[in-house]
């Protein structure tokens, strides 16, 4: 099938669905463009965290034209909180999973529509130059290990990005040292841009400093870090 599609005169996305069996992430890129990693999705926090964990375990399989597929998105379905829906969308975007919406768009409220229409997360997901997914990084020397990981960094045509998931059931302060972010280095002054709101945070940050933010339960924050000197 892959060979037959490759000779067609138009672009075709070939999605492989064997529900994550046969170690598809090891050979999927030789045959198609993306591959399912599990059974069918459900609008639950447990599914979101489980499939993120699975994707991270095989993140090295992704390339510009080959992606782990975490299944359709459940925005607007079930009893997911707004924060969980933000994490749902952000994780699919920064891990470069195919974005397929399995919901009735006419029933989404304005907040849910704003989530799926976020231009900056979509731009990271669909970057025309860089196709690799964000990957976990050690936020600070003392940062605990969690499953799934909470801190991710990635690169786009615009620069370096940081994504933080609060996997706990309550609001928590999340901290990362800028120099721990891959690509930042140990010198320079940086500004931090909020990808959800489209605005820059106040102030600037040295590479050796810590940045802290309170993150609501099951929510995700998304930032673009830009060097200014």
């Amino acid at each position: 099938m892959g060979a037959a599609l490759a000779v067609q005169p138009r672009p075709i996305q070939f999605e492989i669905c064997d529900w994550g069996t046969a170690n598809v992430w090891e050979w999927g890129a030789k045959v198609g463009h993306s591959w399912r990693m599990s059974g069918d999705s459900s609008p639950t926090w447990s599914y979101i965290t489980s499939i993120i964990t699975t994707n991270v375990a095989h993140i090295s399989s992704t390339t510009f034209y080959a992606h782990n597929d975490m299944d359709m998105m459940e925005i607007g379905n079930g009893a997911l909180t707004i924060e969980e829906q933000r994490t749902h969308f952000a994780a699919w975007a920064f891990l470069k999973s195919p974005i397929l919406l399995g919901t009735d768009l006419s029933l989404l409220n304005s907040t849910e529509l704003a989530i799926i229409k976020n231009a900056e997360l979509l731009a990271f997901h669909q970057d025309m130059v860089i196709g690799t997914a964000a990957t976990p990084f050690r936020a600070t020397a003392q940062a605990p290990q969690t499953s799934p990981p909470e801190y991710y960094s990635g690169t786009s045509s615009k620069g370096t990005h940081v994504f933080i998931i609060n996997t706990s059931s309550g609001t928590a302060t999340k901290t990362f040292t800028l120099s721990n972010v891959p690509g930042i280095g140990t010198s320079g002054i940086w500004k931090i841009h909020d990808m959800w709101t489209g605005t820059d945070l106040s102030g600037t940050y040295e590479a050796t400093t810590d940045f802290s933010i309170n993150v609501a339960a099951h929510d995700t924050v998304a930032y673009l870090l830009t060097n200014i000197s």
Side-chain angles (χ1 to χ4, degrees):
M1 178 64 77
L5 294 176
V7 299
Q8 299 308 305
R10 62 188 185 281
I12 298 176
Q13 167 76 22
F14 184 23
E15 158 70 16
I16 302 167
C17 183
D18 66 354
W19 299 279
T21 64
N23 296 329
V24 63
W25 39 79
E26 295 180 357
W27 50 267
K30 300 176 183 178
V31 180
H33 301 104
S34 60
W35 44 87
R36 285 278 301 279
M37 307 192 75
S38 71
D40 292 343
S41 65
S42 64
T44 61
W45 178 244
S46 61
Y47 178 81
I48 292 171
T49 55
S50 173
I51 196 63
I52 291 173
T53 300
T54 301
N55 194 334
V56 168
H58 305 289
I59 200 68
S60 62
S61 301
T62 64
T63 67
F64 193 94
Y65 294 107
H67 301 282
N68 294 322
D69 183 355
M70 300 194 288
D71 202 9
M72 72 175 188
M73 302 197 71
E74 300 279 1
I75 303 296
N77 299 339
L80 292 172
T81 68
I82 288 298
E83 292 77 16
E84 289 167 348
Q85 292 179 74
R86 279 163 50 101
T87 293
H88 189 2
F89 186 77
W92 267 238
F94 70 68
L95 292 174
K96 300 292 180 84
S97 174
I99 292 180
L100 304 173
L101 297 172
T103 193
D104 185 342
L105 294 177
S106 69
L107 299 180
L108 298 186
N109 61 40
S110 59
T111 303
E112 292 164 337
L113 286 172
I115 291 172
I116 65 173
K117 292 166 64 177
N118 182 275
E120 297 195 27
L121 285 167
L122 287 170
F124 180 90
H125 180 267
Q126 299 173 26
D127 194 277
M128 296 295 291
V129 177
I130 300 171
T132 50
T135 57
F137 73 98
R138 189 73 180 271
T140 67
Q142 298 78 31
Q145 293 185 340
T146 61
S147 181
E150 293 189 314
Y151 296 86
Y152 301 79
S153 68
T155 304
S156 76
S157 299
K158 292 186 176 181
T160 300
H161 300 257
V162 170
F163 308 93
I164 308 172
I165 303 173
N166 178 10
T167 60
S168 66
S169 57
T171 298
T173 301
K174 300 300 178 182
T175 301
F176 67 91
T177 305
L178 269 68
S179 60
N180 277 31
V181 179
I184 294 296
T186 58
S187 63
I189 305 297
W190 299 77
K191 69 176 181 179
I192 298 179
H193 175 84
D194 187 330
M195 296 172 67
W196 282 114
T197 64
T199 59
D200 293 342
L201 304 188
S202 60
T204 57
Y205 302 84
E206 295 184 9
T208 54
T209 60
D210 290 346
F211 173 81
S212 296
I213 185 70
N214 290 330
V215 184
H218 298 175
D219 200 3
T220 291
V221 293
Y223 298 117
L224 168 65
L225 279 59
T226 303
N227 180 246
I228 58 175
S229 68

